[in-house]
């Protein structure tokens, strides 16, 4: 595995920004909680959504460690679907 350099930056907001007016979505969107998220589904989401953002940490976790994390009552997984296809994940 290759190591990559990373830079952490912080943003200080001195005043509230003006409200944004966003156009309505072009397609059908749905945000759903994965109530019993399996390890395999989580790995699929993590790989699909996270690859462009170089997510790698949880790829290193064993299935047992990941299952334990998914089973904790403080862990919730939400999936954003765009046109019926997973497009985002929040945990």
């Amino acid at each position: 595995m290759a190591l990559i350099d990373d830079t952490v930056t912080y943003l200080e907001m001195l005043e509230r920004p003006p409200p944004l007016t966003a156009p309505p979505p072009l397609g059908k969107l749905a945000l759903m909680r994965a109530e019993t998220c399996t390890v395999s589904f989580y790995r699929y989401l993590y790989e699909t959504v996270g690859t462009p953002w170089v997510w790698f940490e949880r790829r290193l976790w064993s299935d047992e460690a990941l299952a334990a994390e998914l089973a904790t009552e403080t862990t919730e997984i939400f999936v954003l679907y765009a046109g019926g296809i997973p497009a985002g994940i929040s945990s």
Side-chain angles (χ1 to χ4, degrees):
M1 174 178 20
L3 298 177
I4 60 172
D5 292 329
D6 66 341
T7 302
V8 177
T9 58
Y10 298 92
L11 175 65
E12 180 181 12
M13 189 180 331
L14 301 175
E15 60 185 50
R16 182 179 295 274
L20 298 175
T21 55
L26 298 176
K28 294 180 181 177
L29 298 177
L31 181 64
M32 298 179 65
R33 181 174 180 232
E35 295 179 14
T36 54
C37 187
T38 63
V39 169
S40 60
F41 186 58
Y42 184 85
R43 288 198 187 281
Y44 162 75
L45 291 172
Y46 195 85
E47 175 77 21
T48 303
V49 175
T51 294
W53 307 106
V54 195
W55 293 357
F56 69 92
E57 292 93 349
R58 291 196 178 180
R59 290 183 193 169
L60 305 176
W61 290 19
S62 69
D63 284 352
E64 294 76 19
L66 190 51
E69 176 63 28
L70 294 173
T72 63
E73 66 180 56
T74 56
T75 298
E76 295 180 306
I77 307 297
F78 291 87
V79 183
L80 173 67
Y81 293 89
I85 299 169
I89 181 176
S90 174
S91 57

